[in-house]
Amino acid sequence: MRVRTWILWASYALLALGMSRPAICSADEADKTPSTAEADGDKAAAAPSKPVRLSPTEPIWIDRPRNRVIVVGKVALREGQLEMFACTEGTKEHESILSVPVEAFKVHAALVHLGADPGRPVQFVPEYRAANGPIVDISLYWTDESGQRRTAWAQDWVEDARTGKSLSQPWIFAGSGYWVDEKSGKRDYLANHGDFICVSNFSSAMLDLPIESTDKAGQLLFTAFTDRIPPRDTKVTIVLSPRLKKKEAPAKKGE
């Protein structure tokens, strides 16, 4: 409960920051790299119902009309075994396809603001219990070497080593957690240290898989689908769309 209270407070603070500035890109332009979106910012700011940027320094937007959170990262790894699909910048690039220069708690807060209720991270003791939470669909947008805009589902960049096919499982919003510095009382969101979008199970994962997936060397279940991933350092727009529960209609009188 304390974790959710802190995250809700953070979401209000972030959205106050975002709403105090004009939206800098349209829903379509949000799928471009930041340099292009910024160049079109003045025109987009005058239009209604556009994504709102949540940080003046980090590439993160919330698009409430389309129920999505948008971040921009880059390709960090194209081949080899994976523990992550996407990590926070400067953490686990050696085992993650994408690196994202956005603090994970800001993405968490934006998902909560859209109405996604985080579930529970994986549990290992006294017995294994898979992470649970609402499904978050992840789509990717980038420009290839010929200048063509491309798109893919995130699962198609991850190969299941057991089948040779794309990852078949969805990601779920497990919600990570935090630890408190006993001396300063400062709270630290665990997923900020790398465990942003995971393919191996971690109790600190913000987004995890709802199946058992080890992080032990030599036993990892997933590898990068090299032929489908653009060159290293390619900028990639990552769109997170949580599947929200439908609100029940109010009962009519007499029912």
Side-chain angles (χ1 to χ4, degrees):
M1 183 63 69
R2 293 175 61 192
V3 174
R4 292 187 179 182
T5 300
W6 175 67
I7 291 294
L8 284 170
W9 174 87
S11 71
Y12 294 136
L14 280 172
L15 290 164
L17 171 65
M19 292 302 293
S20 67
R21 296 175 170 81
I24 69 163
C25 59
S26 70
D28 293 328
E29 288 157 351
D31 294 336
K32 300 178 182 179
T33 57
S35 58
T36 307
E38 294 282 1
D40 296 336
D42 292 340
K43 184 189 300 182
S49 301
K50 305 302 180 183
V52 175
R53 190 165 189 165
L54 299 183
S55 169
T57 58
E58 297 170 314
I60 174 172
W61 294 260
I62 187 170
D63 184 355
R64 281 177 286 187
R66 295 192 180 190
N67 185 45
R68 60 187 191 169
V69 179
I70 303 162
V71 297
V72 179
K74 66 180 181 181
V75 175
L77 180 147
R78 297 186 65 249
E79 57 184 322
Q81 294 184 316
L82 301 173
E83 291 189 3
M84 307 285 141
F85 175 76
C87 67
T88 49
E89 188 176 68
T91 58
K92 298 186 176 183
E93 281 86 349
H94 62 290
E95 53 198 7
S96 176
I97 294 174
L98 296 176
S99 173
V100 180
V102 177
E103 290 181 290
F105 92 90
K106 295 177 182 177
V107 180
H108 183 133
L111 290 170
V112 169
H113 188 82
L114 287 176
D117 190 16
R120 173 185 50 76
V122 66
Q123 175 182 302
F124 297 103
V125 179
E127 60 184 8
Y128 177 85
R129 291 177 61 191
N132 64 25
I135 291 173
V136 178
D137 294 315
I138 305 175
S139 52
L140 310 172
Y141 300 83
W142 73 99
T143 300
D144 67 19
E145 294 173 297
S146 65
Q148 297 296 311
R149 291 294 291 166
R150 302 285 303 279
T151 184
W153 290 110
Q155 281 95 334
D156 288 335
W157 284 13
V158 179
E159 181 178 3
D160 189 324
R162 299 164 297 181
T163 65
K165 298 180 179 180
S166 300
L167 171 64
S168 61
Q169 296 291 327
W171 278 280
I172 52 96
F173 185 24
S176 191
Y178 72 94
W179 69 275
V180 179
D181 186 305
E182 295 182 358
K183 293 183 178 180
S184 66
K186 181 180 177 180
R187 296 183 180 186
D188 188 13
Y189 186 61
L190 295 175
N192 283 343
H193 300 281
D195 301 339
F196 180 37
I197 304 175
C198 302
V199 296
S200 290
N201 298 148
F202 292 97
S203 58
S204 51
M206 189 191 77
L207 298 186
D208 203 348
L209 296 178
I211 59 170
E212 188 169 4
S213 179
T214 183
D215 66 335
K216 294 181 179 179
Q219 300 180 36
L220 299 179
L221 301 182
F222 302 104
T223 61
F225 232 132
T226 304
D227 293 344
R228 301 177 180 180
I229 302 171
R232 286 188 62 184
D233 295 326
T234 299
K235 288 183 178 180
V236 179
T237 297
I238 307 160
V239 178
L240 308 173
S241 302
R243 298 187 194 179
L244 304 178
K245 292 181 180 179
K246 292 183 178 180
K247 295 182 179 180
E248 297 183 2
K252 296 180 180 180
K253 291 184 178 180
E255 291 185 349

